[in-house]
């Protein structure tokens, strides 16, 4: 037996799947191989951690939710007619109810993730906050790979290796690289996801500027958000600000020939209010 | 009570029987959906499981063999996941960067993070490993199935289950170690 085949047996022994003959064979190898003994100890630690993290919880809340949904008159109608508007509506209602998913609520899950990322990045946290004048306006809640951050009072880019809990002051600039992505949540609860090679300025919780690249934005349920593009983007030809209504999802992109493209990802059409640079309000369809 | 009996009772109007089916299959469907969404945000997968079970109820009349409820529900889950992914493809997603591999790093000691938020960290790292390994590891820890039961559910050989769990743990061992060393 070699160390490679031992790896499968070590996993099987953790899972209680070894025969007595295989177990004896494994024990013989472990007696002779300190590397595999250490590896088995590591696997046991990992197994315990995974078991703790993925421990099943009571399903009663979610089962009640499902039973309530299927007992609704609309669902009975949906059942009679197959896939239908009633079914879609019922599912939408189940999703939108405030009682949350069974294991952890959405709000709690998000909060936990932010907390986790913040905790993990204790050594790397960069507070890009001006002393008094510029309060925090947003936080980088998730980053894959390295991203660059620049505060408004400096021309220096700070590299941050995600995931990280970076707090952003007003007018901070964020730049992803060709192999990194990141997610930002502003203080107004606007959610922004930057694609690779994208640069964005977070002026205020409700004011964003796309310098280049592509990002997706979901506005809060209660307020609108302004998104501007710089003058060097040829269409529109001047600095322009778009006001996105509340509860909408849009995708913004500057193309290789410096044009701006905006697509609504919302289920229904939305109206963008344009404050300068364009005479009409474009109507976007999802 | 078998799946077939529960299905027949459900069709006859006994909704509590469907509750039992939901309890019986919830975690297997959760592992399936969670593996395909490529997200550490478990609430997305949980929402989809609820949708799968509700759609399953609505479509129950199309189930020709009630004893085959689990495999049939897996098919419903596949459609629901595809719909969700198609919708989300229009949105730039946070895609995990799978920089670490079992071959590229040598780790002699795994230190597992034991913070109170360990669950979120583990879910985040699980979301970054390949889909087939992800489903195997989630299925194993959610349901504590035997290799034979997992093989039947996944439609693979028993040895493949062993191999997938071993590869998943090897990757997670490295990823969680790297995470720990960054602190």
């Amino acid at each position: 037996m070699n160390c490679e085949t031992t790896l499968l047996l070590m996993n099987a022994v953790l899972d209680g799947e070894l025969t007595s003959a295989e177990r004896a064979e494994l024990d013989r190898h472990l007696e002779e191989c300190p590397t595999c003994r250490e590896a088995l100890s590591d696997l046991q630690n990992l197994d315990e951690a995974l078991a703790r993290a993925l421990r099943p919880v009571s399903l009663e809340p979610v089962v009640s939710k499902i039973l309530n949904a299927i007992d609704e008159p609309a669902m009975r109608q949906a059942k009679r007619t197959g896939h239908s508007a009633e079914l879609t509506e019922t599912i939408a209602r189940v999703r939108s109810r405030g009682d949350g998913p069974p294991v952890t609520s959405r709000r709690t899950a998000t909060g936990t993730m932010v907390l986790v990322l913040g905790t993990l990045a204790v050594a790397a946290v960069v507070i890009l906050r001006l002393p008094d004048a510029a309060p925090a306006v947003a936080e980088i809640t998730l980053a894959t790979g390295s991203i660059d951050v620049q505060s408004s009072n400096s021309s220096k880019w700070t590299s941050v290796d995600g995931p990280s809990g970076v707090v952003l002051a007003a007018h901070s600039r964020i730049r992803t690289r060709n192999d990194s992505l990141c997610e930002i949540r502003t203080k107004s609860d606007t959610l922004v996801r930057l694609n690779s090679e994208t640069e964005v300025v977070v002026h205020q919780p409700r004011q964003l500027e796309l310098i280049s690249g592509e990002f997706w934005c979901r506005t809060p349920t209660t307020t609108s958000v302004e998104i501007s593009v710089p003058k060097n983007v040829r269409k529109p030809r001047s600095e322009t600000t778009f006001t996105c209504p509340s509860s909408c999802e849009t995708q913004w992109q500057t193309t290789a020939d410096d044009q701006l493209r905006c697509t609504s990802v919302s289920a229904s059409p939305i109206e963008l209010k344009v404050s300068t640079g364009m005479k009409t309000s474009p109507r976007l369809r999802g | 009570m078998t799946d077939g009996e529960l299905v027949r009772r459900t069709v006859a109007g006994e909704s509590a029987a469907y509750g039992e089916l939901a309890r019986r299959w919830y975690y297997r469907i959760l592992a399936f959906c969670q593996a395909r969404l490529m997200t550490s945000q478990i609430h997305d997968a949980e929402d989809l499981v609820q949708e799968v079970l509700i759609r399953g109820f609505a479509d129950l009349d199309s189930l020709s063999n009630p004893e085959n409820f689990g495999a049939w529900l897996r098919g419903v889950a596949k459609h629901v996941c595809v719909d969700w992914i198609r919708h989300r493809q229009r949105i730039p997603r946070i895609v995990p960067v799978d920089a670490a591999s079992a071959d590229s790093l040598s780790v002699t000691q795994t230190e597992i993070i034991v913070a109170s938020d360990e669950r979120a960290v583990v879910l985040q790292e699980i979301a970054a490993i390949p889909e087939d390994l992800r489903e195997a590891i989630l299925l194993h820890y959610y349901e504590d199935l035997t290799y034979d039961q997992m093989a039947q559910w996944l439609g693979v050989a028993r040895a493949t289950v062993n191999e997938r769990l071993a590869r998943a743990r090897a990757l997670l061992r490295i990823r969680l170690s790297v995470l720990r060393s960054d602190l």
Side-chain angles (χ1 to χ4, degrees):
Chain A
M1 177 185 286
N2 58 35
C3 296
E4 193 175 336
T5 55
T6 304
L7 185 63
L8 292 176
L9 291 183
M10 287 193 296
N11 276 272
V13 77
L14 279 182
D15 301 330
E17 295 277 349
L18 277 194
T19 64
S20 54
E22 289 170 326
R23 178 68 206 235
E25 191 182 3
L26 174 64
D27 287 343
R28 276 196 298 277
H29 178 79
L30 290 175
E31 280 178 18
E32 300 165 358
C33 182
T35 305
C36 284
R37 280 202 300 275
E38 192 172 309
L40 180 59
S41 174
D42 285 353
L43 277 176
Q44 285 167 335
N45 289 337
L46 176 67
D47 181 56
E48 289 167 11
L50 290 172
R52 278 195 305 274
L54 301 175
R55 185 185 301 128
V57 296
S58 169
L59 292 178
E60 293 320 303
V62 71
V63 169
S64 297
K65 205 171 180 179
I66 291 165
L67 292 181
N68 287 339
I70 66 178
D71 281 340
E72 286 186 8
M75 174 55 81
R76 294 200 194 97
Q77 172 66 20
K79 192 162 176 7
R80 280 197 296 275
T81 58
H83 288 257
S84 65
E86 288 87 350
L87 173 59
T88 304
E89 285 171 14
T90 302
I91 290 170
R93 272 201 300 281
V94 169
R95 281 182 158 183
S96 64
R97 279 176 186 150
D99 41 355
V103 178
T104 177
S105 73
R106 185 173 302 236
R107 186 179 298 275
T108 306
T110 305
T112 304
M113 181 58 74
V114 171
L115 180 64
V116 169
L117 296 178
T119 306
L120 290 175
V122 166
V125 161
V126 182
I127 308 293
L128 292 168
R129 186 182 297 184
L130 296 181
D132 294 310
V137 296
E139 182 178 13
I140 298 177
T141 50
L142 193 60
T144 64
S146 298
I147 60 170
D148 300 305
V149 181
Q150 186 188 74
S151 65
S152 61
N153 61 341
S154 169
S155 60
K156 182 186 172 189
W157 288 95
T158 302
S159 173
V160 179
D161 290 323
S164 160
V166 177
V167 177
L168 301 170
H171 312 296
S172 293
R173 200 173 276 248
I174 304 99
R175 186 173 66 190
T176 53
R177 301 180 184 178
N178 62 2
D179 60 351
S180 61
L181 307 164
C182 86
E183 179 185 89
I184 301 163
R185 186 181 290 276
T186 74
K187 292 292 182 186
S188 70
D189 213 28
T190 303
L191 194 63
V192 183
R193 288 176 179 156
L194 278 64
N195 221 335
S196 56
E197 297 188 298
T198 296
E199 188 173 333
V200 165
V201 183
V202 184
H203 291 292
Q204 293 297 330
R206 298 195 303 113
Q207 292 178 359
L208 305 167
E209 183 179 3
L210 173 61
I211 305 299
S212 62
E214 184 180 23
F215 75 88
W216 165 86
C217 173
R218 188 179 69 203
T219 58
T221 54
T222 54
T223 184
S224 60
V225 172
E226 290 182 356
I227 294 174
S228 59
V229 290
K231 289 179 182 176
N232 65 328
V233 176
R234 289 187 302 187
K235 288 184 180 178
R237 292 181 183 280
S238 61
E239 188 168 305
T240 307
T241 300
F242 301 86
T243 302
C244 301
S246 59
S247 299
C248 76
E249 292 182 12
T250 47
Q251 192 160 326
W252 300 78
Q253 180 184 24
T254 57
T255 61
D257 55 351
D258 282 340
Q259 294 195 17
L260 177 70
R261 182 176 298 155
C262 174
T263 309
S264 169
V265 193
S266 300
S268 55
I270 62 168
E271 293 282 350
L272 287 184
K273 182 182 174 187
V274 185
S275 57
T276 60
M278 295 181 73
K279 291 180 181 176
T280 57
S281 298
R283 185 177 176 85
L284 300 176
R285 293 192 178 277
Chain B
M1 196 176 293
T2 68
D3 283 355
E5 288 168 325
L6 290 169
V7 168
R8 281 185 281 274
R9 286 183 178 220
T10 303
V11 171
E14 193 180 325
S15 56
Y18 197 71
E20 183 53 34
L21 285 168
R23 285 184 201 91
R24 190 173 289 183
W25 292 98
Y26 181 89
Y27 277 111
R28 269 176 261 200
I29 297 298
L30 177 62
F32 179 90
C33 294
Q34 203 175 335
R36 276 147 190 84
L37 301 194
M38 285 205 313
T39 173
S40 61
Q41 303 299 303
I42 190 171
H43 54 74
D44 284 339
E46 288 168 341
D47 283 352
L48 284 197
V49 178
Q50 290 175 34
E51 183 166 337
V52 168
L53 287 164
I54 292 169
R55 281 191 186 276
F57 175 82
D59 291 346
L60 212 49
D61 294 338
S62 70
L63 173 58
S64 54
N65 179 6
E67 293 296 347
N68 202 27
F69 177 78
W72 174 81
L73 193 63
R74 188 181 169 95
V76 175
K78 186 177 177 182
H79 287 297
V80 170
C81 287
V82 167
D83 288 347
W84 189 90
I85 290 166
R86 278 184 186 151
H87 174 70
R88 303 299 289 188
Q89 271 176 344
R90 301 177 66 184
I91 302 169
R93 299 290 294 167
I94 301 299
V95 180
V97 177
D98 191 4
S101 77
D103 302 325
S104 64
L105 288 170
S106 172
V107 178
T108 56
Q109 179 66 39
T110 300
E111 291 182 76
I112 303 303
I113 298 165
V114 290
S116 60
D117 37 33
E118 177 182 65
R119 183 168 191 268
V121 176
V122 169
L123 287 174
Q124 183 182 335
E125 294 310 310
I126 288 174
I129 66 176
E131 181 180 310
D132 55 345
L133 309 188
R134 200 158 57 223
E135 185 174 10
I137 208 82
L138 291 169
L139 198 53
H140 176 75
Y141 287 97
Y142 281 153
E143 280 276 11
D144 197 24
L145 301 177
T146 65
Y147 283 3
D148 287 331
Q149 289 170 319
M150 285 179 67
Q152 187 180 7
W153 171 251
L154 296 171
V156 298
R158 186 178 188 280
T160 305
V161 172
N162 184 199
E163 187 187 325
R164 286 183 185 177
L165 286 171
R167 285 170 55 208
R169 286 184 177 123
L171 281 173
L172 290 171
R173 181 181 163 211
I174 291 166
R175 296 187 71 89
L176 291 167
S177 297
V178 169
L179 210 57
R180 179 67 178 169
S181 66
D182 284 344
L183 291 177

